[in-house]
Amino acid sequence: MAGDDQVVPDDAGIRTEPVVRDVTAPKDDAARRSPAKRRRGRVRSAAWTRRLAVAALVLAALNLRPVVTSLGPVLEEARAALGMSATVAGLLTSVPAVCFALVGSVAPRLARRHGPDGVVLAGMAAVALGLALRPFVGSTPVFLALSGLALAGIAVANVLLPVVVKQRFPDRVGTMTGLYSMALNLGASAAAAVTVPLAGAFGGDWRAGLGAWAVLAAVAVPPWVALARDGRRRAEQQAGQQAGGDAATGAGTHVRVARSPTAWALAVFFGLQATSAYVIMGWLPQVFRDAGLSAETAGLLFAVTSVLGVPLSFVLAAVAGRLRNQSGMAVLLGVFGLAGYAGLWAAPAAAPWLWAVLLGVANCSFPLALTMIGMRGRDGATVIRLSAFAQSVGYLLSVPGPILVGALYQHTGGWRGPLAFVVCLMVPQIAAGYFAGRDRQAA
């Protein structure tokens, strides 16, 4: 019975409890060590969650543009198979901006109810489903509806990724915005370049080349499942502190953002830089071809404007995140755009590579706009509303630009009129960027 916790009488008849004392001492030591262990566990858990958030952000960003850029290279085959008219095909260029504006405006309400992580998760699932199904339908309306489903998923992610960055990386807003902006550009460029080779690998089937991008979207879903679970745990832990305060703050923030000059400056800057980007995506190759360059060269020149955004997006956003005032950067990027468009207006074939580089740099106004959205809001609630406001209003502003450029081109038969119009748009973009970049909170 030596191992039992029994009271054993000694020779003098005195009752002793040596075993009980020997057993309880280690338990006391364990109790003293447990707070340190718990702290180490929390540190490891936080580090793992941050790594998970980085992976989730990058994977989501990779999927924000292939819905659009994968279609262009196989549009002719898709139109023939679906019986799609040229008019409907032309409308496809404006559908993304309209969808981003309308669906993005409901993102704050969804985020309040389900959390930003949960809404982005649903968005990634919608992207995967839309990309997987749309190549295999036989009618234009269903094809457009499934494209709209994927674009709706992108729209909520567009609005909420800056919010996730603000909440998960408040001390690294610029760096993380640059990282996912770089991934966004990489996804857009890869989809434009690889869709046709992918189709060729499946016997020239455009449906397979288009549907293959659903795999990338599906890969983005699991990290957001884990991140959404973590977000729910954090929300439950903070519920007692925020139950009354956040609701009042959210209601007030809505009013202040709508009335804020900084928010309007961000919206105008976002909209005009999007207009420029859509003009470049839609018309730049045609400008070079009409100037006498070959289709292959025009394609390479367009690729330059896209590829430049991969490294520059990261660098510019990271630098902007370290500055209190980003006005100078917004103005400088606008000057690059002015020079690029002016060169195209004056002599498109004289220095086409220079014009392409200048416009590629100017296109980096997009990650700068995202960085400024993250930095102009005091907290996550403000950033949600500011991001939704700036992007929804901005995308609506961007819709007419490419259409007017096309109408001017058709009416005048040349590019001087359309390019003069775009040069004029760069002036208010520079002014809006200057005001949006000042070190002021939107609310």
Side-chain angles (χ1 to χ4, degrees):
M1 304 294 290
D4 295 336
D5 293 347
Q6 292 182 329
V7 178
V8 182
D10 61 12
D11 293 340
I14 301 174
R15 299 169 68 86
T16 60
E17 299 176 341
V19 178
V20 173
R21 284 195 298 269
D22 290 341
V23 172
T24 56
K27 290 182 180 178
D28 293 339
D29 290 342
R32 286 194 294 271
R33 287 196 301 269
S34 60
K37 287 183 177 180
R38 287 197 296 268
R39 283 194 297 271
R40 286 196 295 270
R42 286 194 295 268
V43 169
R44 285 195 295 269
S45 177
W48 180 87
T49 302
R50 284 173 72 90
R51 287 193 292 268
L52 175 68
V54 171
L57 283 166
V58 170
L59 286 170
L62 285 170
N63 286 283
L64 292 184
R65 292 299 178 267
V67 173
V68 178
T69 59
S70 64
L71 181 58
V74 295
L75 182 58
E76 183 176 345
E77 291 80 1
R79 284 184 56 201
L82 298 171
M84 186 186 299
S85 68
T87 301
V88 172
L91 287 174
L92 282 173
T93 60
S94 297
V95 166
V98 174
C99 193
F100 293 164
L102 297 181
V103 178
S105 64
V106 306
R109 277 176 286 177
L110 294 173
R112 285 197 300 272
R113 180 173 298 180
H114 305 289
D117 305 312
V119 178
V120 176
L121 165 61
M124 288 296 101
V127 173
L129 185 62
L131 282 173
L133 296 180
R134 76 170 180 173
F136 304 104
V137 300
S139 69
T140 296
V142 180
F143 184 91
L144 292 175
L146 289 170
S147 297
L149 174 65
L151 289 169
I154 293 171
V156 293
N158 277 339
V159 170
L160 295 178
L161 287 187
V163 181
V164 175
V165 168
K166 182 73 170 182
Q167 291 181 342
R168 301 280 181 176
F169 305 94
D171 55 337
R172 301 178 64 192
V173 170
T175 300
M176 295 309 302
T177 301
L179 182 63
Y180 87 73
S181 297
M182 182 175 67
L184 185 150
N185 279 289
L186 184 60
S189 303
V194 178
T195 298
V196 172
L198 280 173
F202 289 93
D205 185 358
W206 68 271
R207 297 178 186 273
L210 206 58
W213 296 101
V215 176
L216 181 63
V219 171
V221 172
W224 285 100
V225 171
L227 213 58
R229 289 174 179 169
D230 177 74
R232 284 194 296 270
R233 285 196 298 268
R234 293 174 59 181
E236 290 169 0
Q237 291 170 358
Q238 298 170 359
Q241 303 173 10
Q242 298 179 344
D246 276 359
T249 301
T253 300
H254 177 67
V255 176
R256 289 196 297 271
V257 166
R259 296 176 179 177
S260 167
T262 299
W264 278 102
L266 276 169
V268 173
F269 179 70
F270 192 96
L272 291 176
Q273 66 81 28
T275 298
S276 177
Y278 284 130
V279 168
I280 290 172
M281 286 188 289
W283 295 110
L284 185 62
Q286 190 65 51
V287 173
F288 285 127
R289 292 190 69 177
D290 288 351
L293 301 177
S294 68
E296 291 78 7
T297 301
L300 285 173
L301 288 164
F302 173 66
V304 166
T305 66
S306 299
V307 171
L308 271 176
V310 176
L312 286 180
S313 294
F314 178 77
V315 173
L316 286 173
V319 172
R322 296 189 182 98
L323 301 175
R324 296 178 65 86
N325 186 308
Q326 296 83 31
S327 297
M329 295 186 71
V331 170
L332 181 61
L333 291 176
V335 170
F336 272 88
L338 275 175
Y341 285 121
L344 286 177
W345 180 88
W353 295 100
L354 176 60
W355 313 144
V357 168
L358 290 171
L359 293 175
V361 175
N363 261 1
C364 291
S365 296
F366 174 72
L368 177 62
L370 294 179
T371 304
M372 291 194 294
I373 288 172
M375 298 184 71
R376 295 289 92 87
R378 288 190 176 92
D379 51 32
T382 307
V383 174
I384 287 176
R385 296 193 180 279
L386 181 58
S387 181
F389 178 81
Q391 294 198 46
S392 296
V393 173
Y395 278 122
L396 282 177
L397 288 174
S398 73
V399 171
I403 298 173
L404 286 173
V405 167
L408 285 170
Y409 174 59
Q410 182 175 346
H411 180 71
T412 64
W415 283 108
R416 289 215 158 189
L419 288 171
F421 169 69
V422 179
V423 167
C424 291
L425 289 182
M426 293 303 300
V427 177
Q429 177 181 323
I430 290 172
Y434 173 81
F435 287 107
R438 293 181 300 172
D439 183 22
R440 297 184 180 182
Q441 297 296 316

